[in-house]
Amino acid sequence: MRPPSARSFFLPHESQSLQRSGKMNFRFLSGLVLLLIFVTTVACSFAESFLPEMEPSYEVWAVDQSGTVSDGTGGLVYIWDGKDIFLKGAKNATPEIIDLAKAAKDANCNAPKKPHMILSNFTTPKASHVILANVGSGDTFFINIDTRAIVGCVNTVGGFNGAGGTTNAHASVASPDNNMAIVANIGAKDESGFLHKIQTNYTSDDYKLVGTLALDQFTNELGTAVARPICHEFTSDSKFAYITLAGGGLLVVDVGSADGTTPMTVVKVYDKDTVPGIGCGVSRLPFNKIMTNGESGAKGGDDFLYTFDTSKAVEGVFPNPVQIELPGEDTHGAVTCIDQKGDIFAITSMRVSNDVNFVDLQTNKVVATQSMSASFSEDPKPDVADIVGNKMFIALRGAKPLSAIGSLEFAGRTPGVAVLTINDDCNGFSWDSNDIASMEDSSRLLEEVFPGQKISAADPHGLEVILR
C-alpha cells in the first residue's frame, strides 16, 4: 500500500496526515473565448510558475515554559499563522501570545508552572482543542483553539482517590477517539511515577480525573530502580498506550474504559535491555506501528530510534522493536516525511549535539546527519518538532533551560521556533537567519545567571502544528 502522495508529509499524529496542495492547473480556453479571458489566464499561469507551492492552512503553537509571575508561575503560548510565516518569513512573522497566568485566572484554574508539552485532540474535520501539560504544577489545561481560552483544567497531584501523583505532569495525550487523555506523571525525584486518566468531552468541555495507575510495581520487570513515565501515544484504535520511561524500558498499557470503570492495566513490559535509553518522543506511524526515542540526555551515551509493531496487540502479541542507533547526542522527538518514491523517513533532532538525523524506515538505516549549528545560531538546542508540507518546525531552547538540560547554559542561544525546509528526498534541510521565529522576551531577563548581560529568560519547549 502506497502513501497517498509521493510528496506527502505526515504529522506525528497519523490521523492528521497531510498532503501538500499541488499547483493549480490552468487550462487555456478555446479560440472562441474572449481575448481578455485568454490573456488573464495566461498571465495567471505565468505568475503562478514563480510562486512556491502553498501549504495547507495551519498555525504553529509553541510554549515558553519560563515563569511570567514573580512566584515562577505563568508562561506563554505563541501562535503564528502559517500564511504569515509563508509570506513574511519566520523572522518577521507576528505571533499572537497567550499569557497563561491571566488565561488560567480567567478560567478559575490554578496558576500553571512550567507549561511543557502541548498537543492537539482528534476532533473532525480539524482539531478543536490543544492539551497543555504543566510539569511544575501538575495541571493539564484544555484550550479551545478558536477562542484561545482555557476551557478545562484538571490537577492530578495526589491522583484519583489519593492513588498518588506529583506536580511533574510531563505530557498529556488525547486518545484518537477523543474520549480520554492520559497524563504521564514523572513522579518525585528518585521515585516512580504515575499514569492518570482524564475522561474528556470536547463538546461540553467536561473533563474529569477518573483513574490513576502507580508504576512502582513494574520496576523488577523493567530492571530499573524506578519507573518514571515520560511520553506516550495511543494505538489508532484507542485501546493501548505505549509509555516510554526515564530509565529505559517501555510499558504497553490497556487503557480500559474512558469513564474509569475499567482501569488501566499493563499488558506488556519491555525491559531496559530491550529498550535502552531515556524514552522521549512517541508518534504513531502508518501500518500499525509506533515510533519512540531512546536518548542519552546530557550525560553522553548511545541514542536510538525504535519502531514497534502494534498490529496484533489486541491478540496479546508484542514483538520486540526494531532498534536503530542514531549518531549524535540526546534524540528528542521525531517526525516523518515521504520522498518522491513514496518511501517514509524519520527525522530526529539531537538536542545536545545540535544534529538532525534522517532515517530510512524501509531499511532502518540512518542515511544522513546534518548539523543545525550555524553562525546565526551557534548552539540552538533543537527540541520538540512538528512538520507540515516541507517545513519542519523545531523549538529552540533558551539560555538557561528549565527542564532536562538545565546544566547546559549558554548566553548566545536563540530561543524560538526554527523553520527548516526539508529536501524532497528527505535526507537534508536548509535554513538561514530569517528562519527563526523569535520567542525572546526583553521584559524577563536572566540577570542573576548572566550578570551584566541582557539575556532573555525564555525557554521554549512544547510545539504543535494545528491545521485550520
Side-chain angles (χ1 to χ4, degrees), residues 59-178:
E59 294 174 343
V60 180
W61 292 51
V63 179
D64 175 6
Q65 59 183 346
S66 61
T68 51
V69 184
S70 58
D71 63 359
T73 61
L76 302 172
V77 175
Y78 286 67
I79 305 170
W80 290 271
D81 189 318
K83 293 190 294 293
D84 205 23
I85 293 174
F86 177 83
L87 294 172
K88 298 179 181 179
K91 182 178 180 179
N92 298 313
T94 302
E96 178 182 352
I97 300 176
I98 300 174
D99 181 332
L100 289 170
K102 180 181 184 304
K105 183 178 180 180
D106 291 345
N108 295 315
C109 297
N110 297 333
K113 188 170 185 178
K114 285 201 285 189
H116 193 66
M117 290 288 289
I118 190 165
L119 298 165
S120 63
N121 70 348
F122 295 94
T123 50
T124 56
K126 303 291 174 60
S128 61
H129 294 65
V130 294
I131 305 174
L132 177 64
N134 298 287
V135 78
S137 57
D139 300 290
T140 293
F141 288 168
F142 297 86
I143 303 175
N144 185 290
I145 291 171
D146 288 335
T147 67
R148 316 310 205 197
I150 297 173
V151 293
C153 48
V154 178
N155 186 281
T156 51
V157 175
F160 180 68
N161 287 341
T166 70
T167 59
N168 290 324
H170 184 265
S172 301
V173 181
S175 61
D177 64 10
N178 283 310

Side-chain angles (χ1 to χ4, degrees), residues 3-26:
S5 166
R7 285 292 291 123
S8 296
F9 288 76
F10 285 93
L11 289 175
H13 300 318
E14 181 184 349
S15 67
Q16 292 181 319
S17 62
L18 299 177
Q19 275 184 272
R20 294 194 71 192
S21 53
K23 292 185 181 180
M24 297 176 62
N25 294 314
F26 291 88

Side-chain angles (χ1 to χ4, degrees), residues 27-45:
R27 292 182 296 178
F28 292 107
L29 303 178
S30 68
L32 297 177
V33 178
L34 294 174
L35 179 61
L36 178 60
I37 298 177
F38 177 81
V39 170
T40 302
T41 303
V42 172
C44 288
S45 296

